Amino acid sequence: MATSAGFRRLLCGTIVVAWALSGRPLLADPLRLVNDDYLTLYENDKMSGLGVEVLRQVFAGLGREVSFERFPTKRAWMMVVRGERDGMVATFRTIEGKRFCSYSDEPLIQDRWVLFVRTADIGKLKFSSFDDLIGHDVAIREAVPEVSEQVSPELWSFLRQHHNMVATNGTPVGLRMLAAGRVDYAVASLTYGMSEITKMGLSGKIEPLLSRSVKEEGVYVCFTKARVSPALVDAFSRALKQFKQTEAFQAIYRKYFP
């Protein structure tokens, strides 16, 4: 594992070279990033969470100040598109998004989407194939085209064909419906879903089925092309990759996903 001091020296050298090549001054205004609830927590008017903690460390190593704000997904995205903020903490690469954003080459994390069931149904309900879902209502978040594409076009089509898809406007809604017995399955990101289960006091009542994933995909930081230079995006991506090799990153990850 890289040492903290060595990591910071490497990052400082990276950013100095990158900004020298870009012809831009090293000192700049603090970066203003936004996000919804994905990989972030919001308590007592302060944001925390894996995404926030990792980005604070990486940008500190790059000698850049950074601030974070929380908004609903669509509003956060539009603020980035309009150039009102510098980027979004955790999102997914989409065709629409690439028109306005530069994504880091290195993902923040690699996430997977799975089906959650009530703990009482473990052993009764399974997911080895789509046919296991026939006759059972499944809660699934509607996609926000600019920020996230459909979790799985094949699953989406299958559920619509069998009239058992319950579209929601967010993962927490689907998990609450599952806990209340209104649906039998809920589709969610494994990391985000487990985090929300803890926040909602549903630990021990809802469990993920890990035998099969619905989808696996990288989660990325996006930067608006209107305000952030390609050199900074490249430097950030290299710095993030290095930071993920450190014990500091592993400690943050274990903190939120023990």
Side-chain angles (χ1 to χ4, degrees), residues 38-39 90-92 106-111 113 217-221:
Y38 189 44
L39 296 186
T91 185
F92 306 95
E106 181 70 18
L108 188 59
I109 62 168
Q110 193 73 22
D111 207 353
W113 277 254
E217 186 177 6
V219 180
Y220 295 85
V221 181

Side-chain angles (χ1 to χ4, degrees), residues 157-172:
S157 176
F158 182 87
L159 295 178
R160 291 182 71 89
Q161 178 184 350
H162 289 84
H163 309 289
N164 60 337
M165 179 177 69
V166 180
T168 74
N169 62 0
T171 294

Side-chain angles (χ1 to χ4, degrees), residues 242-257:
Q242 291 291 332
F243 183 65
K244 286 169 63 178
Q245 305 304 311
T246 67
E247 177 57 33
F249 174 82
Q250 296 301 323
I252 293 172
Y253 192 91
R254 290 193 298 267
K255 176 180 177 181
Y256 293 101
F257 306 110

Side-chain angles (χ1 to χ4, degrees), residues 88 121 156 215 234 251:
M88 198 162 176
D121 288 332
W156 192 275
K215 180 180 180 180
D234 289 343

Side-chain angles (χ1 to χ4, degrees), residues 68-198:
F68 302 92
E69 298 172 278
R70 173 181 173 270
F71 296 100
T73 304
K74 289 185 179 180
R75 183 179 175 189
W77 173 251
M78 290 309 302
M79 294 174 81
V80 173
V81 169
R82 292 192 295 259
E84 297 170 1
R85 296 296 187 271
D86 295 302
M88 198 162 176
V89 174
T91 185
F92 306 95
R93 285 179 167 173
T94 66
I95 295 174
E96 178 68 15
K98 290 179 181 179
R99 293 176 54 197
F100 305 98
C101 278
S102 298
Y103 294 91
S104 57
D105 289 333
E106 181 70 18
L108 188 59
I109 62 168
Q110 193 73 22
D111 207 353
R112 59 187 294 213
W113 277 254
V114 299
L115 287 165
F116 286 79
V117 298
R118 288 178 293 277
T119 303
D121 288 332
I122 292 290
K124 302 176 186 176
L125 298 178
K126 61 180 182 177
F127 179 49
S128 57
S129 71
F130 287 171
D131 287 341
D132 292 329
L133 307 180
I134 296 175
H136 299 284
D137 287 337
V138 181
I140 183 169
R141 176 180 177 173
E142 288 186 302
V144 180
E146 302 87 351
V147 181
S148 61
E149 295 168 342
Q150 290 180 4
V151 168
S152 166
E154 296 80 13
L155 175 61
W156 192 275
S157 176
F158 182 87
L159 295 178
R160 291 182 71 89
Q161 178 184 350
H162 289 84
H163 309 289
N164 60 337
M165 179 177 69
V166 180
T168 74
N169 62 0
T171 294
V173 175
L175 293 175
R176 289 192 190 98
M177 293 177 70
L178 177 61
R182 295 171 58 191
V183 296
D184 296 317
Y185 295 89
V187 179
S189 149
L190 179 59
T191 52
Y192 183 41
M194 294 302 295
S195 175
E196 286 299 302
I197 286 170
T198 300

